[in-house]
Amino acid sequence: MIKHCSQALILLAILLLTNTAYSAPMMAILDENNQRVNVGSVGSYYIDETGSLTLRDLDSEQLRKRFIPLKGDFLQFGLTKGNVWIQVDIAPKLQPGQSALLHIKAPRAQEVDVYTHNLPNSQVFAEMGDARPYQNRPLAYPDYIIPLPVNTTPVYTVYIKVSSRIPISLIIEVKTLSALSNDIQKDSLITGLLMGILLILIASYLFFYLRTLHPMYLIGSFLLLGIAALHFSLHGLIYQLFPMQMGLQERVYNFFSLTSVALISWFTRYYLDTPTNLPRANKLLFFVVVCNLALAFIYTLAPQELSIALLSASAASTLLILQGVALYGVYLKIPYSQFYLVARLVLLVGYSLWALAIYGILSLPFWYEWGLTIAITLEALVHF
């Protein structure tokens, strides 16, 4: 009897939880209590592998049923062939004078389009992205910020289309202007802190170079300058600085990704004095430097010719080779090799987590945004 009662209670609890889950409104509701809604919790998506479907095609009853509910606030699709369509219903219930906005964090995506459908007198139509003119953005900002109509129908649908030859990772929110202002201040604070630390390190490396004339410090300063440029390209700041140069941001990222690992390899030759202590490893490092520089020029001049996966593989394999050199240096008890091993471990772990987040294997939104810069800054502090 007790067993049957327990089973009945368990089934009742499951039924109540299921009803609660399905009764939750699958729409972005903005009001006095909700200043932001993550689209990942209320939206749905469909992947058009052909890349040929239009908004009118998606409005058909047959294709509407193919949209799959999104799972998680951090939207990760990895390397995707075709277009990713995201659909979200928005119900603004704001006070007069308040504004609603769509905030999309995908600064390196080639194409990001936003549409509304069947919205009388207040259509939203924006075709943006790294491969589109910067002037297409409703607001001049590294992220995509689209003002949304407030005084209109109670509920309307917004479609977002994303297409890119790099891994697609998105953070999309519907929020009020005050919530957006808070987010911009937070992002500016983190960027300012990281760039401030990098500037101090660059100045220190240049100071040591002027005092010792050792080329290792000059290479280290160039490396940190490249990391700053890499950070700017990852956060969409390059296109903001040069709004007339379409595609420049992708080229800057490709160039400094590969030249940075080449400079780290060259820095290693001086730090461990590999020409004297590790002559065979020194030849390998020289070969690694040449290969990465060659790929850097190819990816800069013709980024569409090679897959971005090859670039990531080149950077990852270089870090693994340097890790092996570090372990071998510790084994031979080369001076300062212990510090070098710690620096290599910090960068290898940090880069690995960041790459796994980029390609949609791990859900790490904070590390996706800031992890690469933090990892390289920590590595530089170990050397410092």
Side-chain angles (χ1 to χ4, degrees):
M1 181 67 179
I2 296 177
K3 182 179 180 180
H4 290 299
C5 289
S6 300
Q7 291 176 347
L9 288 173
I10 292 172
L11 289 173
L12 180 61
I14 293 174
L15 181 62
L16 288 173
L17 289 173
T18 305
N19 287 339
T20 302
Y22 278 97
S23 63
M26 293 295 292
M27 64 179 65
I29 301 176
L30 288 182
D31 53 28
E32 293 182 357
N33 298 321
N34 296 319
Q35 296 293 302
R36 70 175 73 234
V37 178
N38 194 294
V39 171
S41 61
V42 296
S44 56
Y45 76 96
Y46 173 74
I47 297 178
D48 170 27
E49 295 184 354
T50 66
S52 60
L53 295 179
T54 64
L55 182 62
R56 180 172 297 180
D57 298 326
L58 294 174
D59 195 40
S60 66
E61 190 66 28
Q62 182 180 3
L63 284 178
R64 281 184 192 174
K65 295 178 181 179
R66 295 187 182 181
F67 275 80
I68 304 170
L70 293 165
K71 298 178 182 179
D73 294 345
F74 185 32
L75 309 181
Q76 299 169 284
F77 299 97
L79 285 172
T80 304
K81 179 182 178 181
N83 299 327
V84 177
W85 286 89
I86 297 171
Q87 172 187 286
V88 58
D89 293 328
I90 299 176
K93 299 180 180 179
L94 300 173
Q95 298 296 324
Q98 289 186 299
S99 301
L101 306 111
L102 182 67
H103 185 190
I104 304 173
K105 284 192 173 184
R108 294 173 58 219
Q110 264 77 48
E111 296 180 4
V112 179
D113 301 341
V114 177
Y115 312 102
T116 57
H117 185 55
N118 293 335
L119 193 59
N121 302 323
S122 301
Q123 294 289 347
V124 175
F125 179 84
E127 292 185 340
M128 306 164 292
D130 195 37
R132 302 270 179 71
Y134 194 79
Q135 291 77 6
N136 285 16
R137 306 186 184 205
L139 295 176
Y141 189 71
D143 297 336
Y144 305 107
I145 301 173
I146 301 93
L148 296 173
V150 177
N151 300 319
T152 181
T153 57
V155 180
Y156 57 88
T157 302
V158 172
Y159 290 94
I160 303 160
K161 184 181 76 172
V162 183
S163 176
S164 184
R165 57 176 168 264
I166 66 172
I168 297 176
S169 297
L170 308 164
I171 300 175
I172 308 177
E173 291 182 320
V174 180
K175 60 183 67 173
T176 61
L177 185 59
S178 59
L180 175 67
S181 178
N182 292 334
D183 290 344
I184 291 175
Q185 290 179 9
K186 182 190 72 174
D187 290 350
S188 300
L189 177 64
I190 296 175
T191 293
L193 177 63
L194 291 174
M195 292 301 104
I197 295 173
L198 284 178
L199 284 175
I200 293 173
L201 289 172
I202 291 170
S204 301
Y205 272 80
L206 289 175
F207 172 78
F208 288 128
Y209 172 71
L210 294 175
R211 290 293 301 271
T212 65
L213 295 181
H214 197 296
M216 179 184 72
Y217 296 109
L218 186 61
I219 292 174
S221 61
F222 284 143
L223 171 62
L224 294 175
L225 283 172
I227 297 309
L230 193 60
H231 177 88
F232 278 23
S233 65
L234 283 172
H235 289 79
L237 296 167
I238 295 294
Y239 205 7
Q240 187 181 32
L241 293 172
F242 302 96
M244 304 303 294
Q245 304 297 323
M246 285 191 297
L248 176 64
Q249 192 159 252
E250 181 185 12
R251 298 172 190 272
V252 168
Y253 169 80
N254 293 345
F255 179 78
F256 284 104
S257 291
L258 293 166
T259 55
S260 293
V261 291
L263 286 172
I264 293 173
S265 303
W266 201 264
F267 179 88
T268 300
R269 297 178 72 249
Y270 289 111
Y271 195 89
L272 297 179
D273 193 13
T274 56
T276 302
N277 297 320
L278 300 168
R280 291 185 178 179
N282 184 66
K283 294 179 181 178
L284 175 61
L285 291 176
F286 184 79
F287 176 75
V288 168
V289 169
V290 172
C291 289
N292 279 294
L293 289 178
L295 281 176
F297 282 103
I298 294 173
Y299 271 101
T300 302
L301 297 176
Q304 70 282 355
E305 296 299 325
L306 297 176
S307 171
I308 192 68
L310 176 60
L311 184 150
S312 301
S314 178
S317 60
T318 299
L319 294 181
L320 288 173
I321 291 172
L322 294 177
Q323 190 66 42
V325 172
L327 290 170
Y328 192 48
V330 171
Y331 173 75
L332 296 178
K333 297 182 180 180
I334 295 174
Y336 308 110
S337 58
Q338 297 91 342
F339 295 103
Y340 183 76
L341 177 61
V342 173
R344 294 280 62 77
L345 283 172
V346 168
L347 183 55
L348 180 62
V349 172
Y351 177 84
S352 299
L353 292 175
W354 178 78
L356 291 173
I358 286 289
Y359 283 93
I361 299 172
L362 290 180
S363 181
L364 301 169
F366 178 82
W367 206 251
Y368 161 77
E369 287 192 73
W370 311 103
L372 185 61
T373 309
I374 291 174
I376 298 178
T377 303
L378 291 175
E379 181 222 10
L381 287 172
V382 173
H383 289 308
F384 185 74

